[in-house]
Amino acid sequence: MKRRVTQVTKISKTVDNRLKTLEGKLKIIEGYIDSLEKIIAKKSPEKNTAGKSTFTYTIKKQVKNQ
């Protein structure tokens, strides 16, 4: 029984660590979205004659020193 409890504990810790990693990545993506929304709001034309506008942006991957 002790072995089973240990295995469940290890799996729980692994899942928690993965969730923390995903939450961190989600915060970065939300930051990108906020930045893009601000840029689009600034650059959006006041009168749109064609009915369509296209914005192209490049998002560079941030490298963390580990």
Side-chain angles (χ1 to χ4, degrees):
M1 188 67 171
K2 186 175 182 180
R3 182 175 178 185
R4 179 173 278 175
V5 171
T6 303
Q7 288 174 342
V8 170
T9 303
K10 286 181 181 179
I11 292 171
S12 298
K13 287 181 182 178
T14 302
V15 170
D16 288 343
N17 289 338
R18 287 182 181 177
L19 284 174
K20 286 178 185 178
T21 302
L22 288 173
E23 287 173 354
K25 289 180 180 181
L26 181 61
K27 285 182 183 181
I28 292 170
I29 292 170
E30 288 174 342
Y32 290 148
I33 291 171
D34 290 341
S35 297
L36 289 174
E37 287 176 343
K38 288 177 185 176
I39 292 170
I40 290 171
K42 287 180 184 177
K43 291 189 175 184
S44 113
E46 291 183 15
K47 291 184 180 179
N48 195 352
T49 56
K52 294 182 180 178
S53 61
T54 304
F55 292 99
T56 305
Y57 298 97
T58 302
I59 299 175
K60 296 181 180 180
K61 184 177 180 180
Q62 294 179 348
V63 178
K64 295 182 180 178
N65 295 334
Q66 293 182 355

